[in-house]
Amino acid sequence: MKQFYLLLLIALLTNLNCLNAQNYSESFESGVMPSNLTIYNSDADTQWQYTSTASGFGIGNGSIYFDNYTSNENGNYDWVVTPLMNFNEGAILSFDVAYARYDVDYCDQLVVAVSIDNNTSYTQVYDKSCSDLATAPDETTTEFIPTPTQWRTETVDLSAYDNASDVKIAFINISGYGQLLYIDNININIGTLSNEEFNKEIRSLKLYPNPSSDNITISGLEETENYIIYNVVGSKISSGNISNNQLINIQYLKAGIYFIEFENGDTVKFIKE
């Protein structure tokens, strides 16, 4: 796959903290551009910005966008980059996108790329442009602002980076002097530990029954602990606190794979039937 060599980014991005064994989720609800995202602006002009005028599927209060419409940035690469992460096995990226072409001659491109070598190079894992990227009809009269139905969720398999450390993910706008491009709800599930590491890490905890259709029980807790339940793409579903051998009601969950993470970092996978 195409390599993006970014020697100019090394000094800019190496000071970010590493999210060690934690999923990453950003829903852009703070009202400002998140401080843990790093922006690289190739021409010191238009750059990725926060907006409160649009949010993924009309849920929430904001998103980020790049304005390809107002100024001619044709051919420029503009980046927004996540913090450092350490992956386990089976990492998955999901994000919501909204975009309309200006027309067939003026349209833009979104690339997602992964670095595992401290920003020396990036490898492309997602690439869509023009009509393939579009979630709405062409807009030639004014700036594109998506309606709740003009969004699409994209999912990217990152299992090629199993057990990689110092991972960064870049969202790259390549301008074609077209229209506004929006991103919301970035979720990165860093995956699960390998079987050997997984069993070692949570050897004192047991979750049963698994699979389950109504309730699960956790044993092996020494005291009451807070927990968070995530779905397979890393979105937070619910939270609470639990004592040893206490039931957790999961009847409300859709069928699928979930993870329950405890405040000490232990994570257990379970299946809802």
Side-chain angles (χ1 to χ4, degrees), residues 193-268:
L193 300 174
S194 65
N195 288 337
E196 181 179 352
E197 292 173 323
F198 188 80
N199 292 333
K200 178 180 178 182
E201 188 75 17
I202 62 167
R203 60 180 178 270
S204 62
L205 295 183
K206 294 183 179 179
L207 182 152
Y208 60 91
N210 191 12
S212 176
S213 60
D214 49 13
N215 297 292
I216 54 175
T217 301
I218 304 291
S219 66
L221 296 173
E222 296 180 357
E223 58 185 1
T224 300
E225 288 194 33
N226 296 321
Y227 69 85
I228 300 174
I229 293 177
Y230 296 95
N231 64 16
V232 73
V233 296
S235 298
K236 178 180 175 181
I237 303 300
S238 64
S239 61
N241 57 70
I242 187 174
S243 301
N244 194 43
N245 293 320
Q246 183 178 340
L247 292 176
I248 299 177
N249 184 348
I250 61 168
Q251 293 180 12
Y252 65 94
L253 296 177
K254 296 179 180 180
I257 298 173
Y258 295 87
F259 302 87
I260 180 167
E261 181 180 42
F262 297 92
E263 58 187 288
N264 70 352
D266 285 346
T267 302
V268 184

Side-chain angles (χ1 to χ4, degrees), residues 117-210:
D117 56 10
N118 203 21
N119 299 304
T120 301
S121 64
Y122 276 77
T123 301
Q124 179 179 303
V125 294
Y126 170 99
D127 182 4
K128 288 188 179 181
S129 61
C130 299
S131 58
D132 287 337
L133 180 61
T135 62
D138 291 358
E139 176 57 72
T140 60
T141 60
T142 188
E143 295 180 352
F144 168 62
I145 299 176
T147 67
T149 61
Q150 292 175 328
W151 289 81
R152 181 177 66 239
T153 299
E154 302 281 32
T155 301
V156 181
D157 180 4
L158 299 177
S159 60
Y161 303 95
D162 281 355
N163 302 311
S165 58
D166 295 342
V167 180
K168 289 181 180 179
I169 297 178
F171 295 82
I172 308 163
N173 179 90
I174 304 175
S175 181
Y177 197 17
Q179 264 291 358
L180 276 64
L181 168 65
Y182 297 81
I183 291 176
D184 198 4
N185 298 316
I186 299 172
N187 291 291
I188 304 168
N189 186 314
I190 63 167
T192 58
L193 300 174
S194 65
N195 288 337
E196 181 179 352
E197 292 173 323
F198 188 80
N199 292 333
K200 178 180 178 182
E201 188 75 17
I202 62 167
R203 60 180 178 270
S204 62
L205 295 183
K206 294 183 179 179
L207 182 152
Y208 60 91
N210 191 12

Side-chain angles (χ1 to χ4, degrees), residues 97-109:
V97 62
Y99 175 71
R101 303 184 312 176
Y102 180 85
D103 61 21
V104 66
D105 295 316
Y106 295 96
C107 56
D108 311 288
Q109 182 177 1

